[in-house]
Amino acid sequence: PYFPLYTIGYMLATSMIHVVVVNEEKEEYRLGLEEARKIDSLRTAIVSLLNNMPGLTFTKDAETGVYLACNQAFAEYAHRKSPEEVIGLTDAEIFDGETAAHFVEKDQIALSISKPYIFFEDVPDAAGNQRQLQTTKLKYTDTSGRLCVLGMCQDVTDLVRVQHEHAMTKEAYESAVSAGLMYTHIAQTLSRDYTEMFHVNVDTEEFI
């Protein structure tokens, strides 16, 4: 006579367990979505930061050499459409052997010192034009304890050219001023009643 009650009780207990499991699964799913949103937000912030930094910017795993992130400028330099096509690759998978070996060598130097490694290098841009870059590489440890290399390359071709032209212009100007002063002194001397005149080179102490 109690069999229907047992049946109803078993059904209610099973339903309660099912509700508890479903609720737990929903909570886990909600937490998973929240964590995924945080990760996506962080990734978006990092990409935005990299894309707004001047020049080529990238970071690599120091042990494997795998690219962890880069900006759009570096992706274009690597002949890729977006940073997503660079992430997960190594220099050997992106560049020719000589270029890849050069980048790895510079990474090792940056990893061997305790301060940022700054150097200048002539490299072709994405279009093949020769450009001069000021590159800064430094090592750091991320939040997971992984040793990484951060690289920032600034195109200084135009700056170097302007500085060179300025230096040449300044040198020519100073030379012209010096020559002009010398000839002015000669003219002033000739216009007066002098019987002898000489010019002294102050660097060599030679008389003319």
Side-chain angles (χ1 to χ4, degrees), residues 44 115 172:
T44 301
K115 60 182 180 180

Side-chain angles (χ1 to χ4, degrees), residues 5-17:
L5 297 177
Y6 292 147
T7 303
I8 294 173
Y10 179 77
M11 182 180 65
L12 290 174
T14 303
S15 298
M16 291 176 64
I17 292 173

Side-chain angles (χ1 to χ4, degrees), residues 4-5 11-12 20 50 57 63 74 80-81 95 101-102 108 114 126 138 148 168 175 178 181 183 189-190:
L5 297 177
M11 182 180 65
L12 290 174
V20 171
L50 292 176
T57 308
E63 183 177 354
F74 184 84
R80 297 296 192 277
K81 294 181 179 179
F95 305 104
H102 171 73
Q108 294 305 313
S114 58
L138 57 94
C148 303
M168 294 296 292
S175 177
S178 178
L181 287 174
Y183 289 117
T189 302
L190 292 174

Side-chain angles (χ1 to χ4, degrees), residues 151-182:
M152 295 169 286
C153 306
Q154 183 69 31
D155 190 336
V156 295
T157 306
D158 295 334
L159 177 61
V160 171
R161 177 182 57 78
V162 169
Q163 288 179 338
H164 179 70
E165 290 177 353
H166 175 71
M168 294 296 292
T169 303
K170 183 179 179 182
E171 181 181 356
Y173 172 77
E174 291 178 347
S175 177
V177 169
S178 178
L181 287 174
M182 181 180 69

